[in-house]
Amino acid sequence: MTNRYDLLDIIRNENNIIRAELMSDKMKSDVMNLEIKTLQNDIPMINKGLDTALKEEEAILLIKEVDYSSYEKFFESNKILINTPDKGKFLLLKEVSSEVVCKNLHDTCASSLSVALFSSYVREFVLNCYRIKQDSFYIPILVGFTTG
């Protein structure tokens, strides 16, 4: 069985990962509070992927360097506009494939694995926390996992 540090090493050794570390409870709380702001948008956004990932035992926050135009297409393909008669319109951001981090991440020892993207509010917050320029080529990703 792989432990959380083995999974962290796998992620850190992947190409284009510039930072990866276990999330503290405070960081998880800060992220959730910022994601809640997306509910105040003209069209509220519900980040189902983030909710699923944070329900896992552990969470790794990573920052990956990407081609931004590819990321935008990927982000848009995981966002669904839902129009309901009783609640109106809202956006749903789904959980994403673990291949966005690395091809064999899902084949690791984790018994459960969830990968999520963040809203722009959280992206900006995370990059500021790590003193990374608000360069459009860096995106934070959350990997929630359970090892038992």
Side-chain angles (χ1 to χ4, degrees):
M1 178 188 293
T2 305
N3 67 35
R4 63 187 182 179
Y5 298 108
D6 293 336
L7 188 59
L8 194 55
D9 286 341
I10 290 167
I11 292 171
R12 285 178 174 160
N13 288 324
E14 187 66 21
N15 288 336
N16 301 330
I17 302 294
I18 63 165
R19 185 133 195 170
E21 59 187 55
L22 292 168
M23 284 182 76
S24 68
D25 289 339
K26 171 140 177 39
M27 180 64 100
K28 289 177 188 177
S29 175
D30 290 346
V31 163
M32 281 306 295
N33 288 335
L34 286 170
E35 279 294 336
I36 289 171
K37 282 187 175 184
T38 63
L39 296 173
Q40 299 167 1
N41 291 346
D42 289 338
I43 299 177
M45 185 175 78
I46 298 169
N47 194 334
K48 182 66 176 159
L50 181 70
D51 183 53
T52 302
L54 287 177
K55 286 181 180 171
E56 299 282 354
E57 284 180 359
E58 301 274 356
I60 295 173
L61 176 66
L62 65 96
I63 299 172
K64 184 172 184 171
E65 185 175 16
V66 296
D67 171 78
Y68 196 70
S69 62
S70 297
Y71 168 72
E72 280 293 310
K73 289 176 191 170
F74 180 74
F75 186 84
E76 291 301 317
S77 70
N78 285 289
K79 191 168 62 172
I80 302 168
L81 178 63
I82 298 173
N83 193 2
T84 62
D86 55 336
K87 295 181 183 174
K89 290 182 183 179
F90 66 93
L91 293 168
L92 180 68
L93 187 57
K94 305 181 299 184
E95 182 179 340
V96 298
S97 167
S98 62
E99 289 189 9
V100 75
V101 177
C102 68
K103 297 229 180 285
N104 63 351
L105 187 61
H106 212 50
D107 297 332
T108 64
C109 63
S111 62
S112 179
L113 187 73
S114 302
V115 179
L117 300 174
F118 295 110
S119 69
S120 57
Y121 294 120
V122 175
R123 178 185 178 277
E124 185 177 316
F125 168 75
V126 169
L127 295 180
N128 282 335
C129 283
Y130 294 105
R131 294 186 175 98
I132 297 173
K133 260 177 42 176
Q134 293 295 322
D135 188 324
S136 60
F137 297 107
Y138 298 109
I139 60 164
I141 300 169
L142 175 69
V143 177
F145 65 98
T146 300
T147 57

